[in-house]
Amino acid sequence: MSLLAKAYAADGGAAAASVTGGIEQIAIVGIFLLFFYFFIFRPQSKRAKEQKNLMNSLGKGDEVLTTGGLVGKIAKISADSDYVVLALNDNNNITIKKDFITAVLPKGTIQSL
C-alpha cells in the first residue's frame, strides 16, 4: 500500500474537507491575480502607453520638464536617435535621452519662471 493511500485511509473523512480547502486556495490565488492585474499591471501599462505617446508627440520648440527638474525648450530633435538637445537658456544647451522627459509644458512657461 502506498504512502498516500495509507494517509487517506488514516484520516477517514478529512479527505473530503481537503478538497474544499483546495478550491478555497485556488479562489484565493485567483483573487490575488485579479488584484495584481487591476492595481499593478494595468496602471503600469497605461503609464507606459502615455509615455510612448508623449515621446512621439515631441517637436522642436516644445517646452518640457525632465525627471531631474530641468525646464527647457527643445532645440534639436532627431528622428533616428533617442536623444534631444534642450536649450535651458540662450547660452546653455544639454543633450538628454527622450525617456527623461516627463511632461510637455504650456507655451510661455519658461518666460514666466
Side-chain angles (χ1 to χ4, degrees):
M1 196 171 190
S2 72
L3 184 62
L4 184 63
K6 287 181 186 179
Y8 180 74
D11 68 1
S18 70
V19 171
T20 59
I23 292 171
E24 290 173 358
Q25 288 177 350
I26 291 172
I28 289 172
V29 168
I31 290 170
F32 178 73
L33 290 175
L34 285 173
F35 177 82
F36 182 78
Y37 175 75
F38 283 109
F39 290 103
I40 297 173
F41 179 73
R42 191 167 173 236
Q44 180 62 32
S45 64
K46 276 186 167 181
R47 279 190 292 272
K49 190 176 186 180
E50 289 172 1
Q51 181 71 10
K52 184 178 177 184
N53 290 338
L54 175 70
M55 294 302 107
N56 291 335
S57 70
L58 291 176
K60 186 176 178 181
D62 287 344
E63 295 179 6
V64 296
L65 174 69
T66 66
T67 56
L70 297 174
V71 176
K73 188 179 283 193
I74 296 178
K76 180 182 172 188
I77 187 167
S78 58
D80 59 342
S81 177
D82 286 338
Y83 293 92
V84 296
V85 176
L86 286 183
L88 301 178
N89 57 25
D90 294 335
N91 300 327
N92 296 330
N93 290 338
I94 60 169
T95 303
I96 64 167
K97 281 186 65 89
K98 285 182 184 178
D99 300 340
F100 291 106
I101 296 174
T102 58
V104 176
L105 303 173
K107 299 287 183 189
T109 303
I110 294 175
Q111 292 174 353
S112 67
L113 297 176

